[in-house]
Amino acid sequence: MPNVNSPSSPAPAVQAAPAVSGALTEAQAGGVQELLRVAPVAVEIARRFADAGFRLALVGGSVRDALLGRLGNDLDFTTDARPQQVLRLVKGWADAVWDVGIAFGTVGARKDTADGSFQIEITTYRSEAYDRTSRKPEVTYGETIEEDLVRRDFTVNAMALDLPDQVFIDPHHGLEDLAARVLRTPGTPEESFSDDPLRMLRAARFAAQLDFEVAPEVVAAMTAMAERITIVSAERVQGELNKLILSEHPRKGLRLLVDTGLADHVLPELPALRLERDEHHRHKDVYEHSLTVLEQAIDLETDGPDLVLRLAALLHDIGKPRTRRFESDGRVSFHHHEVVGAKMTRRRLRDLKYSKELTEDISRLVELHLRFHGYGTGEWTDSAVRRYVRDAGPLLERLHKLTRSDCTTRNRKKAAALSRSYDTLEERIAQLREQEQLDAIRPDLDGNQIMEVLGLPPGREVGQAYKHLLELRLEHGPLEHDAAVAALREWWAGQQS
């Protein structure tokens, strides 16, 4: 591929290998193979644009991921065509077109081929900037690809492949930074973060996703400008946090958020876990413990990244700072921190605009994460096991993983004992599940049957009867129909007297 660099900031051609030539050559070779894989689709649409007098280039994350050998079927392009012109060009070629991002200069499309279905985004050359009070970027269109690349967040995302001639454009030395696995900004980080403060969260997210280091000057700017993140909408912040937490190395990104002070504004409960400790009142480092629990929960995932499990693992102990008490015997207690933590979790997730369902699931896991520790050495009754399953409901498997992850002791004997104890609990749950419908515990009589037996119309008394039968079901297991009817009549007689 030919290499074209900005005259104002000349970077070496890919073939002109500097100190890291081996890494560059390897990255380039893998990237070329990946880019050639998508070339039929990319070149086809590029020729369509060229015939209409416009330029089109594969850009940003697509080029970066191709060079890293991890390019998927999501392709990002940039063009000098305006959005309405883009719409006209892709209609009739793409199998589906959407314009939900057209206000920001982006048109989406899907192209189905023999090699798979490609999700495509085409964005007009642009620049974005915030004023000091705005939560939305102001979009202006540019005229050249160089203008577009300089406004990109990081140099590794500021490379492009001009099509259909496949000319590699790297005016900001992105290929060198990619080989060095470092995140830098095309201009000064202060200018970049002033244009869009969300880029500070993206730095942490990319560090977690790609396992890259963040350049010292970028970290310094993130620290100095952390408060600026407050002008960004909660929805955009949530999106970046999700990508970070679902990445391969979330601990790395979360540490960066805490160390730069960004977490103080977007997830303040996390840095608050760094409790002061002294030689007289010793307790586990709750911050480090929480990050370790997150990693251990990830190790237990079986069906890919689980946002609910990961957020519950990260937040499970956020109630500890508010409940910490120094006891007279020198111990430190955190009584009811799971209840306080569940309320705090619910409030934080609502502020970040998470869905009601996800918020309630995560809060419930935080609330239940200590329940197992009442199990001791297995002295729970069948009734207690049923209640454990009933209270966890559809979250039971996640609760299993969270509870097991919450053991970070270095005492191998203690860790092994806890693991054996939980093995026993899971075995008992399995045994009860074979004997009865444990996953959907209901009274042995439904509402209609209760009304028929007692001769009642719908109302509060039917609900009370239902609740009584549910308690019997939890306490004694399933009852035969006649036994359930007798128990109901006995309860009702007591109510009447």
Side-chain angles (χ1 to χ4, degrees):
M1 291 185 295
N3 185 80
V4 175
N5 295 289
S6 167
S8 61
S9 179
V14 174
Q15 295 87 347
V20 285
S21 59
L24 290 177
T25 303
E26 183 180 348
Q28 182 190 8
V32 169
Q33 291 180 350
E34 284 290 290
L35 291 171
L36 288 176
R37 184 177 66 83
V38 304
V41 170
V43 172
E44 183 180 337
I45 189 173
R47 285 180 177 150
R48 192 175 180 91
F49 274 68
D51 290 344
F54 298 111
R55 294 181 67 185
L56 187 75
L58 199 66
V59 73
S62 294
V63 177
R64 179 201 70 220
D65 288 345
L67 293 168
L68 289 173
R70 48 181 282 166
L71 180 63
N73 282 15
D74 292 346
L75 304 179
D76 294 327
F77 295 91
T78 188
T79 181
D80 56 348
R82 295 300 189 254
Q84 291 300 329
Q85 294 168 323
V86 173
L87 272 177
R88 288 195 295 271
L89 287 167
V90 296
K91 284 182 177 178
W93 173 82
D95 293 284
V97 178
W98 51 92
D99 60 2
V100 292
I102 200 165
F104 298 100
T106 299
V107 173
R110 190 191 78 245
K111 181 66 174 177
D112 298 326
T113 74
D115 295 322
S117 182
F118 291 87
Q119 302 295 317
I120 294 168
E121 284 195 352
I122 305 171
T123 302
T124 301
Y125 298 158
R126 67 185 185 182
S127 61
E128 299 178 343
Y130 279 82
D131 63 35
R132 289 291 171 182
T133 59
S134 173
R135 284 182 175 268
K136 294 182 179 180
E138 299 171 356
V139 177
T140 58
Y141 298 127
E143 299 298 328
T144 69
I145 193 169
E146 288 76 19
E147 281 183 277
D148 185 83
L149 294 179
V150 76
R151 59 152 286 277
R152 300 270 164 174
D153 50 9
F154 302 103
T155 60
V156 296
N157 296 330
M159 299 178 285
L161 184 67
D162 198 35
L163 298 168
D165 298 327
Q166 299 189 33
V167 177
F168 185 63
I169 304 172
D170 181 21
H172 304 289
H173 309 274
L175 193 56
E176 290 182 39
D177 288 339
L178 194 69
R181 305 182 71 80
V182 64
L183 290 173
R184 303 184 194 277
T185 53
T188 69
E190 290 79 8
E191 290 172 336
S192 181
F193 299 154
S194 181
D195 284 347
D196 186 354
L198 190 68
R199 290 172 177 173
M200 294 186 287
L201 290 190
R202 284 195 195 128
R205 187 249 290 186
F206 283 126
Q209 282 185 331
L210 304 173
D211 196 19
F212 278 23
E213 299 303 318
V214 181
E217 69 274 12
V218 177
V219 174
M222 291 167 66
T223 305
M225 301 177 67
E227 189 176 2
R228 184 111 166 95
I229 196 67
T230 57
I231 73 166
V232 179
S233 70
E235 290 84 355
R236 296 184 76 211
V237 168
Q238 183 213 120
E240 286 301 321
L241 283 177
N242 289 347
K243 292 173 184 176
L244 189 162
I245 290 167
L246 291 171
S247 69
E248 292 186 28
H249 309 279
R251 187 185 197 121
K252 189 169 191 173
L254 292 167
R255 276 191 179 283
L256 188 58
L257 293 184
V258 171
D259 292 346
T260 57
L262 279 162
D264 293 335
H265 303 288
V266 299
L267 197 63
E269 294 79 6
L270 185 58
L273 293 175
R274 296 183 297 182
L275 299 175
E276 294 182 5
R277 303 165 72 194
D278 61 61
E279 60 182 11
H280 301 295
H281 298 95
R282 295 184 179 181
H283 59 80
K284 191 175 296 183
D285 185 326
V286 185
Y287 171 64
E288 291 295 335
H289 165 75
S290 297
L291 294 179
T292 300
V293 171
L294 170 59
E295 290 183 326
Q296 293 184 167
I298 291 172
D299 289 340
L300 295 178
E301 290 174 336
T302 53
D303 298 314
D306 183 343
L307 184 62
V308 170
L309 176 63
R310 293 190 183 197
L311 279 170
L314 181 65
L315 302 175
H316 76 285
D317 272 349
I318 62 172
K320 280 191 170 180
R322 292 190 182 181
T323 58
R324 183 170 65 159
R325 298 289 182 272
F326 297 112
E327 307 294 348
S328 57
D329 61 359
R331 293 183 303 108
V332 179
S333 67
F334 303 96
H335 295 308
H336 306 301
H337 78 267
E338 73 281 11
V339 177
V340 173
K343 293 178 180 177
M344 293 171 64
T345 296
R346 189 173 290 109
R347 188 160 50 245
R348 175 55 51 200
L349 296 182
R350 284 174 179 168
D351 287 347
L352 287 169
K353 307 299 183 184
Y354 280 94
S355 69
K356 181 178 180 181
E357 180 182 7
L358 187 142
T359 296
E360 290 306 314
D361 284 352
I362 296 169
S363 302
R364 186 64 167 158
L365 286 170
V366 171
E367 184 179 0
L368 293 174
H369 83 272
L370 281 187
R371 181 74 68 84
F372 159 72
H373 293 284
Y375 187 72
T377 56
E379 51 278 320
W380 273 8
T381 62
D382 284 351
S383 170
V385 174
R386 291 189 193 99
R387 292 176 193 277
Y388 188 81
V389 174
R390 188 272 310 267
D391 291 346
L395 298 172
L396 182 62
E397 291 306 313
R398 285 182 171 123
L399 183 59
H400 288 333
K401 294 173 184 176
L402 176 60
T403 303
R404 288 184 179 277
S405 303
D406 196 22
C407 176
T408 61
T409 179
R410 295 181 181 179
N411 185 321
R412 293 185 178 181
K413 186 176 181 180
K414 183 179 180 181
L418 284 170
S419 180
R420 286 195 302 271
S421 186
Y422 206 84
D423 287 343
T424 302
L425 175 58
E426 288 200 66
E427 289 168 5
R428 290 186 62 188
I429 290 173
Q431 291 167 0
L432 282 174
R433 189 173 273 143
E434 288 181 2
Q435 299 167 14
E436 50 189 275
Q437 292 181 323
L438 201 59
D439 294 323
I441 297 178
R442 296 183 178 87
D444 297 288
L445 301 176
D446 62 24
N448 289 327
Q449 291 171 313
I450 290 170
M451 289 188 288
E452 182 180 346
V453 170
L454 300 181
L456 292 174
R460 181 175 58 87
E461 291 172 325
V462 176
Q464 291 174 333
Y466 186 93
K467 185 176 181 180
H468 172 70
L469 289 177
L470 178 59
E471 286 299 313
L472 287 179
R473 171 71 173 79
L474 288 167
E475 191 66 32
H476 303 292
L479 299 174
E480 296 292 338
H481 178 79
D482 290 347
V485 169
L488 174 62
R489 285 179 171 154
E490 179 182 354
W491 171 82
W492 181 242
Q495 295 295 110
Q496 299 307 299
S497 63

